Amino acid sequence: MPSLREAQKQLTRDTIVERALELFTKKGYAATTIDEIAASAGTTRVTFYAYYPTRADLMRDFMARVNAVLERADGPDSGSTAPDLVQVVRDGKLAGILSWLESRAALWPVFRPYLDVLDEAAALDPEVRTMVERWHEEVITDMVRGMQLAGRFAAETRHIRGTLAFTQLDYVATLWTRRKMEPNREHALEVLADSWYHLLCDEG
């Protein structure tokens, strides 16, 4: 059980992150200052920097929170991994893919705002860009791993297949967040699942 001091530190960290997310979403990453985040969190610039020495450190926490929501954990070799995604691709069943996509879509309101800010920050900060690109590659690698375990498709085509599948998912997700559009989600996920099935599972 964490000590009272550790709990207080985590509360301060959570408050800073929550207020930063609100401000970044409202004003934009570049237009939001550290002083504004600190004031909104009820603390000071000095305290902010004690927790996050750089903006990239704050973005690193954003990414950690995305991984926590998605239950992505450190893999045995490097990066993070989602065993359920690996298994869904390995099983290669359309119904399983659709179910996995629906479960992730249900979490979009929780984690997509963090990813949207991370994408905006990546356009301005090379360190954040590297972080985001590495995370994209981790997700793609899970898909590649699923195809490998199933012995499916030529090895030289697996990565591009995973890249296309990830890009499709990322684009559809933005329709509910950054672009503020709301098409029929049920139909969109059905079409996406069908595309994933042909990209990642169907060799026939």
Side-chain angles (χ1 to χ4, degrees), residues 143-172:
M143 298 181 195
V144 171
R145 179 65 175 156
M147 287 182 276
Q148 288 174 335
L149 291 172
R152 191 182 302 129
F153 299 115
E156 61 270 19
T157 72
R158 290 172 184 152
H159 189 271
I160 186 60
R161 289 175 180 278
T163 300
L164 290 170
F166 173 82
T167 302
Q168 290 173 356
L169 173 60
D170 188 58
Y171 178 76
V172 170

Side-chain angles (χ1 to χ4, degrees), residues 2 21 37 65 71 74 88-89 111 147 149 154 177 181 200:
L21 180 60
I37 296 171
R65 289 164 193 260
E71 299 182 335
D74 289 339
V88 160
V89 174
F111 74 87
M147 287 182 276
L149 291 172
T177 55
M181 296 170 62
L200 307 175

Side-chain angles (χ1 to χ4, degrees), residues 101-116:
L101 290 171
E102 288 173 339
S103 72
R104 290 305 175 268
L107 296 172
W108 284 345
V110 180
F111 74 87
R112 283 300 309 189
Y114 289 106
L115 282 181
D116 291 341

Side-chain angles (χ1 to χ4, degrees), residues 34-77:
I34 300 304
D35 285 334
E36 287 173 323
I37 296 171
S40 180
T43 188
T44 66
R45 167 188 281 264
V46 172
T47 299
F48 176 93
Y49 282 122
Y51 286 89
Y52 301 106
T54 69
R55 280 179 173 248
D57 290 315
L58 178 59
M59 292 299 97
R60 203 166 281 112
D61 198 342
F62 273 36
M63 186 64 78
R65 289 164 193 260
V66 170
N67 282 332
V69 171
L70 296 177
E71 299 182 335
R72 297 188 63 82
D74 289 339
D77 302 316

Side-chain angles (χ1 to χ4, degrees), residues 17-35:
V17 168
E18 289 165 8
R19 297 299 176 268
L21 180 60
E22 290 172 3
L23 286 166
F24 288 147
T25 300
K26 180 180 180 180
K27 297 185 60 177
Y29 179 82
T32 301
T33 68
I34 300 304
D35 285 334

Side-chain angles (χ1 to χ4, degrees), residues 83-96:
D84 55 345
L85 175 56
V86 175
Q87 190 61 46
V88 160
V89 174
R90 181 181 187 178
D91 290 345
K93 301 291 193 299
L94 179 59

